[in-house]
Amino acid sequence: MSAEPKKRSRSLIFCWAVLALLAMYPLSIGPVVWITTAYGLPYAWIYRAYRPVYWLAFQTEISRTILLDYVNLYSTLRWGRHPPSPF
C-alpha cells in the first residue's frame, strides 16, 4: 500500500474542516448576539470580531437585510432570563 491514499484523505479532511469553519464563522454571529443581549454585555467587540461579515453584508441591500434580520431574530429570543450556563 502506498502513502498516497492517506495523504489524500488527510488533505480532504483538512479542506472540509476549513470549509466548516468558514461557514460557522458568519453563522455564529446570531448566538453571540443572543448571549450578549441576555447578559447585557457591550456590543462593541461584536463589531470588531465580525467586521468582515458586516463589510460583506453591507455591500448589497439584500445581504444587509438578511444579516440584520438574522441578528434581530437572535437578539429578541427569550429562552428564560439567560442562556443555559456552560457549567
Side-chain angles (χ1 to χ4, degrees):
M1 296 218 95
S2 70
E4 187 63 30
K6 283 188 177 182
K7 278 187 175 180
R8 265 194 240 147
S9 65
R10 285 184 183 164
S11 62
L12 186 63
I13 290 170
F14 177 76
C15 288
W16 279 110
V18 168
L19 288 174
L21 287 174
L22 288 174
M24 288 172 32
Y25 171 64
L27 292 176
S28 68
I29 194 170
V32 167
V33 167
W34 174 58
I35 291 170
T36 303
T37 302
Y39 285 111
L41 302 172
Y43 287 95
W45 70 275
I46 294 176
Y47 294 116
R48 277 182 252 138
Y50 290 97
R51 185 172 294 167
V53 175
Y54 278 103
W55 178 83
L56 191 61
F58 279 77
Q59 297 301 310
T60 65
E61 186 64 32
I62 191 151
S63 62
R64 178 179 172 265
T65 303
I66 290 170
L67 176 70
L68 293 179
D69 286 349
Y70 181 68
V71 168
N72 286 335
L73 170 72
Y74 271 94
S75 68
T76 58
L77 284 179
R78 298 285 180 234
W79 294 325
R81 175 138 172 85
H82 295 291
S85 174
F87 303 108

